[in-house]
Amino acid sequence: MTVALAGRAGTAWATSREPWALLTDPQRAREVLQEQLYGDLAVEGCEILQTRFRTAPHERRRGAPIVGAAYRLTLRDGEQLVHVRAYTGDGRRHYEKARATARARPRFGPPLAYLPALDAVVWGFPNDPKLRHLADVVDPGVLWRHLPCGSDRVGVDVLRWKPGKRCVTRYRPAGAPAIVGKTVNHDGVADIARRMEWMWRHAHDDADGFVVARPLGCSRAVKTAWQAALPGIPLMQALMDGAEPGPLMRAAGAGLARLHAMAPADDLPHTTLADRLRFVHGGPLELAAAYPELRGRVEALTALLEHVAAQLPPVPDRLVHGDFLLKQLVLSDGRLGVFDFDDFVLGDCVEDLGNCIADMHYWDLDPGAVRAMIADFLDAYRAHAAWDVPDDRLRWHCSVQLLRDAWYWHKRRQFEPAFREELGALLARAEQPPVG
């Protein structure tokens, strides 16, 4: 099994003095995991793939893990993914509770371990706190029972693993085309499979829209939906490697307009502007408490967004992708393919535009290039959409997403030395969204 997850290379962070703080330093985390879990198996490298902190007082009171971190460990003979959850007094109980379920044998190290000094529980992939069925979709010895091709000789590549939430895996059956599986932690996998089928049928009849990988059904037993692998390279990789952005961004804008024009399935949930703002009663309050010097700006921005939402006129419900970002697109045989249909809803489709524009600023691209990309993307969208996209509505959605992002990144990066400064810049973009 190979591992090809995208993540942020970890660096040492300025953290609190609490014992779990060393988990934010990849070198110190490597040393602890080496000493307490791997013994004679030398851990040569440690990369932090993701972190999540729960440091707010109400989270501490309810006994949530104070930090969760996923690592890619490099050993001499391969790689091992691990997930660590550190607590403040409740770790031993969580460890004892998990012992009955963490039984799959990792490639290296134990399935489950407890680190007393950190009050932390360590899960060795494919063991997972809430994806108890994950081992059955990454073990070549048993996954043939679930794969659509039924092959018993399969190469397995883990593409993305979000502990407790989902795992995306590529399978290489002997003598057959590659397959991608999405494993989730809930019972809605049949809904995901239906959306894959619905999207594929629409895309099959639209030569000018997005390409969609052929669906291959689902397995409720392992909560996994299957698709044929779509060959190509991620759009963001193509752009970072120097591809001409203009044609690609125009294709992305035109494809999104055509997606929004689809007549959606009747069983999709509805979302409103009020739903988009529901987080402001938690997220911004937490930001204001954590960064008192920003409290006035956060409160003013929140009040402005609520005021503007009440003034915006209603619009017809349309299909909303819900997580439309450039990283969801792949360049395949000269066309763009789209993935990830879990978050489909009915609502204001301009939400997707705002989300995508907000995300473009997180990539290591020249600001002038980003402005040109946004312009090409919006021009193409407006040229292909049969409805108006007013600047005030677009700015509102972009501001909402940027404020949501500020909270999101606080939960994951609050102890990085430069994060306070970056947070101020992020709020400035939310106050004056870069659109129009």
Side-chain angles (χ1 to χ4, degrees):
M1 179 175 68
T2 62
V3 180
L5 295 117
R8 303 184 63 230
T11 57
W13 294 359
T15 66
S16 77
R17 296 182 179 275
E18 296 182 77
W20 51 262
L22 65 81
L23 295 173
T24 67
D25 182 330
Q27 177 59 27
R28 296 177 70 195
R30 184 196 68 78
E31 293 170 355
V32 168
L33 295 173
Q34 170 73 78
E35 177 185 354
Q36 301 196 32
L37 297 184
Y38 292 95
D40 294 335
L41 295 174
V43 180
E44 299 173 350
C46 175
E47 179 184 359
I48 299 176
L49 295 175
Q50 61 185 36
T51 53
R52 179 176 174 84
F53 300 96
R54 293 180 173 87
T55 55
H58 72 278
E59 292 176 307
R60 289 177 180 257
R61 286 194 297 270
R62 67 182 176 87
I66 198 73
V67 60
Y71 304 93
R72 185 200 335 252
L73 305 179
T74 303
L75 296 93
R76 184 180 62 183
D77 297 324
E79 294 180 342
Q80 177 63 47
L81 301 176
V82 297
H83 175 53
V84 181
R85 289 184 170 186
Y87 298 83
T88 53
D90 207 26
R92 172 68 72 175
R93 182 179 68 82
H94 283 278
Y95 167 71
E96 295 295 342
K97 183 178 179 181
R99 291 179 65 182
T101 59
R103 297 177 176 176
R105 182 178 297 277
R107 186 176 182 189
F108 303 104
L112 187 76
Y114 177 65
L115 308 181
L118 301 181
D119 195 29
V121 181
V122 183
W123 302 75
F125 185 90
N127 296 285
D128 183 285
K130 295 184 179 179
L131 296 172
R132 298 178 182 177
H133 47 291
L134 185 55
D136 287 343
V137 293
V138 298
D139 182 352
V142 298
L143 68 85
W144 62 269
R145 304 171 186 168
H146 309 288
L147 273 178
C149 64
S151 174
D152 60 356
R153 290 186 297 132
V154 183
V156 180
D157 307 318
V158 179
L159 303 180
R160 288 185 296 278
W161 175 44
K162 187 171 184 179
K165 298 292 186 181
R166 67 187 70 91
C167 186
V168 179
T169 313
R170 180 174 56 227
Y171 304 95
R172 295 173 281 106
I179 295 171
V180 173
K182 185 166 192 175
T183 304
V184 296
N185 68 347
H186 54 77
D187 294 326
V189 69
D191 294 330
I192 295 174
R194 280 195 296 271
R195 292 172 191 173
M196 288 178 176
E197 179 74 24
W198 179 78
M199 278 294 298
W200 179 73
R201 291 187 180 279
H202 278 74
H204 190 266
D205 298 329
D206 185 1
D208 296 322
F210 291 133
V211 179
V212 175
R214 181 167 60 93
L216 300 172
C218 68
S219 171
R220 288 184 172 87
V222 289
K223 301 181 181 180
T224 301
W226 317 98
Q227 285 181 293
L230 192 62
I233 62 172
L235 173 60
M236 286 310 306
Q237 178 182 332
L239 292 171
M240 299 294 284
D241 289 345
E244 175 61 36
L248 295 174
M249 295 309 301
R250 288 190 288 272
L256 182 59
R258 299 180 78 88
L259 186 152
H260 287 163
M262 293 180 183
D266 294 334
D267 60 346
L268 292 178
H270 285 71
T271 186
T272 65
L273 300 187
D275 294 329
R276 287 283 288 160
L277 276 179
R278 205 173 303 282
F279 82 103
V280 303
H281 302 295
L285 291 178
E286 186 174 332
L287 287 175
Y291 309 95
E293 72 277 16
L294 299 175
R295 176 183 294 273
R297 292 174 63 187
V298 171
E299 291 177 347
L301 179 57
T302 299
L304 176 63
L305 292 173
E306 292 181 317
H307 173 74
V308 173
Q311 304 301 315
L312 289 174
V315 294
D317 282 344
R318 293 188 175 89
L319 177 64
V320 180
H321 183 280
D323 193 26
F324 186 84
L325 309 175
L326 296 187
K327 69 179 183 180
Q328 304 284 21
L329 303 177
V330 61
L331 184 57
S332 179
D333 196 22
R335 295 178 61 189
L336 291 180
V338 66
F339 295 98
D340 197 352
F341 314 127
D342 301 20
D343 297 315
F344 272 12
V345 293
L346 293 176
D348 183 355
C349 63
V350 178
E351 174 185 328
D352 283 337
L353 294 172
N355 293 0
C356 187
I357 290 170
D359 187 71
M360 289 187 204
H361 292 81
Y362 301 129
W363 298 86
D364 187 18
L365 295 168
D366 177 77
V370 173
R371 288 192 294 271
M373 289 167 57
I374 292 172
D376 286 330
F377 175 65
L378 288 177
D379 287 347
Y381 182 91
R382 284 174 163 138
H384 287 81
W387 51 89
D388 292 333
V389 183
D391 283 350
D392 59 347
R393 196 172 205 96
L394 180 56
R395 288 193 183 95
W396 185 87
H397 277 289
C398 192
S399 290
V400 169
Q401 186 58 43
L402 288 165
L403 184 56
R404 293 171 69 97
D405 289 348
W407 186 34
Y408 175 91
W409 290 118
H410 163 72
K411 303 298 288 186
R412 288 154 178 81
R413 299 179 52 202
Q414 59 186 271
F415 294 108
E416 290 189 42
F419 180 67
R420 279 181 180 265
E421 182 178 348
E422 291 184 29
L423 178 59
L426 183 54
L427 287 177
R429 285 205 299 271
E431 292 160 344
Q432 295 291 330
V435 301

